[in-house]
Amino acid sequence: MTGSLANQVAVVTGGGRGLGRAFAVALAHEGARVAVVARSQEQLEETVAQVERAGGTAYSFAADVSDAESTASTLDTIRRQLGDIDLLINNAGIGSPIGPLAQADTDEWWRCQEVNLRGPMLWTRGVLGAMIERRRGRIVNVASGAGAVGVPYMSAYAASKTALIRFTEVVAQEVSQHGVSLFAIEPGTVRTAMATFALESPSGRRWVPWYRNIFDEKQDVLPEFSAELVVRLARGDADCLTGRFISRGDDLDAILRQSTKAVENEWGVLRVRGR
């Protein structure tokens, strides 16, 4: 295929469904060869089939993104089969447990950190060396608005996404001189499996009943809209904003027109007010 990402290799974790599937389809449409990663082989095959029906190229790789050995092995296989990795989308994530910390299962709480933070760390570390050596590469970490504001009864999820946003900023500062860019994004509220859990589970209905209003009032968005942002970041439109937290709802063109001022004013960076 031809396109803005022709001949590039992209990796999408959590690519078996929802946002990850939309990202894979959009990146493949732009010409990338996409490695989709998830635990469910059946879901991966569905994603690959959808990409191929759209005329793109995708390959499935079953792995646990939070496991170091699985990550290293899968990345080696991807490189052998597809070549050097140009783009990494750290999308895999979970939202449980929901409820008061005082009642939370501590193992379940920590599992959220394993998937949402350790996973992106492992995959980022796994691709950074080669990206630095080649002096090119982009990494997009799928965060959440919950990482920038307090969300009661979702302490595990909010803590993991806040950490992911800061992780993005710090690593971006470490590698910007090597031609590698990182971004954290807020994709908007999408009806994914995670969203369905918050809507339908007993804990979700009890502790975050307000979440249903987003869908009832039609404030949710289609995953394809978030995929448009990922494609723009993937092709380098916003490299001058490396390290920033960018929302699907931001007017990216307007921000880019004033990018120097945005950087000077620390736009898109987590800061404590009054400091």
Side-chain angles (χ1 to χ4, degrees):
M1 293 186 68
T2 58
S4 61
L5 302 177
N7 301 315
Q8 293 196 31
V9 174
V11 176
V12 180
T13 70
R17 59 188 180 184
L19 281 169
R21 180 173 291 174
F23 296 157
V25 171
L27 295 170
H29 183 267
E30 290 297 315
R33 289 174 290 158
V34 183
V36 288
V37 180
R39 288 186 297 175
S40 169
Q41 186 62 45
E42 181 179 356
Q43 291 178 355
L44 286 171
E45 291 172 358
E46 292 175 2
T47 296
V48 170
Q50 186 167 329
V51 169
E52 292 177 344
R53 284 195 298 270
T57 303
Y59 307 82
S60 64
F61 299 87
D64 178 353
V65 299
S66 68
D67 181 85
E69 184 175 344
S70 179
T71 296
S73 175
T74 303
L75 283 171
D76 285 344
T77 302
I78 292 172
R79 292 190 185 97
R80 286 197 305 270
Q81 293 187 14
L82 305 183
D84 291 321
I85 296 167
D86 302 284
L87 173 68
L88 169 65
I89 311 297
N90 283 311
N91 168 70
I94 59 176
S96 58
I98 298 174
L101 177 64
Q103 300 175 17
D105 181 294
T106 55
D107 289 336
E108 186 181 5
W109 198 99
W110 194 248
R111 177 61 181 165
C112 188
Q113 314 311 306
E114 292 277 345
V115 176
N116 295 1
L117 181 60
R118 175 179 166 86
M121 179 276 293
L122 289 173
W123 286 77
T124 298
R125 185 177 183 277
V127 302
L128 268 186
M131 286 183 174
I132 290 171
E133 184 176 343
R134 298 169 64 218
R135 299 194 62 79
R136 59 173 293 179
R138 297 183 178 95
I139 298 170
V140 178
N141 294 320
V142 180
S144 167
V149 298
V151 183
Y153 310 119
M154 296 190 71
S155 62
Y157 183 73
S160 69
K161 294 302 184 179
T162 301
L164 184 59
I165 295 169
R166 182 69 82 199
F167 170 82
T168 303
E169 176 193 354
V170 172
V171 178
Q173 293 174 352
E174 295 177 1
V175 301
S176 61
Q177 63 182 316
H178 302 294
V180 180
S181 299
L182 286 87
F183 308 92
I185 68 167
E186 189 274 311
T189 301
V190 179
R191 190 177 287 273
T192 61
M194 186 187 305
T196 299
F197 175 79
L199 289 169
E200 305 298 340
S201 68
S203 59
R205 291 198 301 268
R206 178 178 181 184
W207 297 110
V208 289
W210 53 264
Y211 190 64
R212 182 171 297 279
N213 296 336
I214 296 174
F215 296 90
D216 291 344
E217 297 171 7
K218 301 187 184 305
Q219 297 178 15
D220 58 311
V221 298
L222 294 174
E224 289 76 15
F225 293 159
S226 301
E228 292 177 7
L229 172 60
V230 168
V231 168
R232 294 199 63 179
L233 298 178
R235 68 189 182 203
D237 289 6
D239 280 354
C240 59
L241 298 175
T242 182
R244 266 57 183 183
F245 178 44
I246 303 174
S247 171
R248 183 211 60 84
D250 290 330
D251 187 341
L252 188 57
D253 289 320
I255 295 166
L256 290 173
R257 286 194 294 269
Q258 302 185 57
S259 59
T260 300
K261 183 177 180 180
V263 172
E264 290 176 351
N265 292 339
E266 296 188 318
W267 176 89
V269 177
L270 291 182
R271 291 291 183 264
V272 177
R273 291 182 179 179
R275 296 293 179 86

